[in-house]
Amino acid sequence: SQTIHQWPATLVQPVGSPLSLECTVEGTSNPNLYWYRQAAGRGLQLLFYSVGIGQISSEVPQNLSASRPQDRQFILSSKKLLLSDSGFYLCAWSVLDLETQYFGPGTRLLVL
Amino acid sequence: DAKTTQPNSMESNEEEPVHLPCNHSTISGTDYIHWYRQLPSQGPEYVIHGLTSNVNNRMASLAIAEDRKSSTLILHRATLRDAAVYYCILRDAGNNRKLIWGLGTSLAVNP
């Protein structure tokens, strides 16, 4: 069966520090991968998606970036965090565009 | 992008059915209707989806209006574990990977 992992579960970082969040998927090949952010009390906002290794599409201009170095690995990064980057970051995968998206457990990021 | 409108919150009693409404008056002919739910401090979980016909699965039923401008997610017997935020989302059958997530409906289930 397929599983999706995200780490860390929680993270507290100072403003201006770098960020690296990792997401890995097991049990499937060539998945579509997604990064979402959810601010407190808000809906999910799609940040990036990827249909293959090295292929990244950005949905929202920001100081975040994403990379997909391997088929089932998706990384969210920032060189310098802002206060507004605080939120709940969720990684998801799907087999095809129309298919169900399966979400990881999320990383709660607090930027101070 | 077609948008959806849901009540901010609803309340139900355990063991009773729950009908969660969703309006999507600007839906296009190729938009699928998806429902997800999010338990506290967890990632969203897929519930059900449909295009035109009503759908049933082990979690819920989806009733879609004939004009497709509204739909209702039906939980047949609410349990305490069904307390979550329920999102109604439209997905374009074309080339649209962007899901528009609203604020959803926060469902409280009373024992």
Side-chain angles (χ1 to χ4, degrees), chain B residues 28-110:
Chain B
S28 72
T30 54
D31 284 339
Y32 283 77
I33 302 159
H34 284 241
W35 283 81
Y36 285 77
R37 72 179 186 181
Q38 187 174 21
L39 278 64
S41 299
Q42 294 187 27
E45 172 188 32
Y46 167 81
V47 178
I48 200 167
H49 77 279
L51 183 62
T52 56
S53 304
N54 294 343
V55 185
N56 299 296
N57 66 21
R58 64 175 180 82
M59 290 182 69
S61 296
L62 177 60
I64 301 173
E66 201 168 328
D67 63 6
R68 301 210 326 124
K69 293 185 176 182
S70 65
S71 61
T72 302
L73 180 71
I74 302 167
L75 307 179
H76 295 286
R77 291 180 64 189
T79 69
L80 296 178
R81 288 180 295 180
D82 290 324
V85 178
Y86 287 79
Y87 297 96
C88 170
I89 299 163
L90 302 183
R91 298 203 67 186
D92 193 339
N95 185 25
N96 182 6
R97 299 179 177 92
K98 185 163 63 176
L99 300 180
I100 307 298
W101 293 73
L103 296 179
T105 296
S106 180
L107 175 66
V109 180
N110 302 315

Side-chain angles (χ1 to χ4, degrees), chain A residues 32 34 36 38 41-44 46 49 51 59 88 90 97-101 103-105 108, chain B residues 32 34 36 38 41-46 49 87 91-95 97-99 101-103:
Chain A
N32 290 343
Y34 310 82
Y36 287 89
Q38 186 175 32
R42 306 294 298 272
L44 276 68
L46 180 63
Y49 66 87
V51 298
E59 288 295 316
F88 191 39
L90 291 154
D97 290 343
L98 294 181
E99 295 298 318
T100 301
Q101 289 187 9
F103 286 81
R108 198 163 297 280
Chain B
Y32 283 77
H34 284 241
Y36 285 77
Q38 187 174 21
S41 299
Q42 294 187 27
E45 172 188 32
Y46 167 81
H49 77 279
Y87 297 96
R91 298 203 67 186
D92 193 339
N95 185 25
R97 299 179 177 92
K98 185 163 63 176
L99 300 180
W101 293 73
L103 296 179

Side-chain angles (χ1 to χ4, degrees), chain A residues 38-83:
Chain A
Q38 186 175 32
R42 306 294 298 272
L44 276 68
Q45 179 186 39
L46 180 63
L47 302 175
F48 302 94
Y49 66 87
S50 171
V51 298
I53 296 173
Q55 301 179 62
I56 308 294
S57 296
S58 174
E59 288 295 316
V60 181
Q62 58 215 322
N63 70 321
L64 299 171
S65 62
S67 62
R68 185 169 176 174
Q70 299 180 41
D71 181 45
R72 289 168 287 181
Q73 184 185 27
F74 205 22
I75 298 172
L76 183 69
S77 304
S78 173
K79 292 182 179 178
K80 285 186 177 181
L81 284 169
L82 306 173
L83 287 174

